[in-house]
Amino acid sequence: MRRRVLFLFAVGMVVAVLGACNSSSGQSSSVVPPVTPTGSPGAIFVANTGDSTVTTYASDGSAMATIKSGISGPIGVAIDPTANRLYVANSGNSTVTTYTTQGTQINMTITRAISEPYAIAVDSSGKIYVANFKTNSVTAYLSNGSQTSPTIKGLDQPRGLAVDSDGKIYVVNAGNSKVTTYTQDGKPSTPTITAGLSAPRMIAVSRTGTIYVTNAGNSSVTSYRPDGSQMMATTITAGLNNPYGIALGATGRIFVGNYSGQNLLTFTTKGRQTKPRIGGLNNPTGVAAY
């Protein structure tokens, strides 16, 4: 069965929620430089924790826009290409802020049950999932920002999050170096992954179900079959330095943000390094791509 995962790490969001209600913040957008449209196939979005920005790039790696408004310690980013939305998980103020994929802030922010969010993902229906590091939970929201089911509890320092086209939820637990999976209604599922993980950070799932995990402990990206068995031949290490964010592009490229290397590297599904290579980042964490 074909699968796809929509991000947003990612890290990784819609109507300002106070309690369970909508609220406008009245905050205007701030985009530097003037926005060039980024909502096209191949666009890359990077959360920079060091300077609290999200930078956007064309498929060739050329800089397009820098988003600053509403961002505080961003870690996870995700895109919903159908709705033309970019979601940012802000660990600095425990919010999820929302933008068009062109970089304009939408006057909707989620705060309900958000507690130090580290990762964010969007499923095929537009439902938003947030990994809350401080409360060891994953909370879910409708596209209008209201909280919905499921809520997954009992996690161990969740840092990475992905949802595939079947609605299966993948959570990276940094505390016990384990990837756990859940059904759409939040019940434990399979696989559970531990092999090859070393201080795991974030996760991506391909259309065919291949699972990719970044490991800060040994600076690698490990890959797994849909059943959770490790694909040793495609472990990526070249050029990696404390990798965090990971995203899969529409053309099959794998984008990895190097937190300590201050860059983003690109690989083929065979693990070979390719273009673009984007430097000059500032503690990059979450990565999202079309």
Side-chain angles (χ1 to χ4, degrees), residues 46 48 51 53 55 57 258 261-264 277-284:
V46 181
N48 297 278
D51 61 2
T53 63
T55 46
Y57 304 87
N258 279 303
Q262 309 295 347
N263 60 25
L264 181 139
R277 181 187 186 280
I278 300 172
L281 303 178
N282 197 331
N283 296 341

Side-chain angles (χ1 to χ4, degrees), residues 134-177:
K134 193 171 183 178
T135 56
N136 289 308
S137 68
V138 168
T139 46
Y141 305 85
L142 299 177
S143 59
N144 66 2
S146 58
Q147 190 173 358
T148 187
S149 60
T151 295
I152 301 171
K153 299 180 179 181
L155 303 174
D156 195 342
Q157 298 179 19
R159 284 180 177 263
L161 185 62
V163 184
D164 68 21
S165 59
D166 291 331
K168 182 181 286 188
I169 304 162
Y170 301 74
V171 182
V172 176
N173 297 271
N176 58 11
S177 289

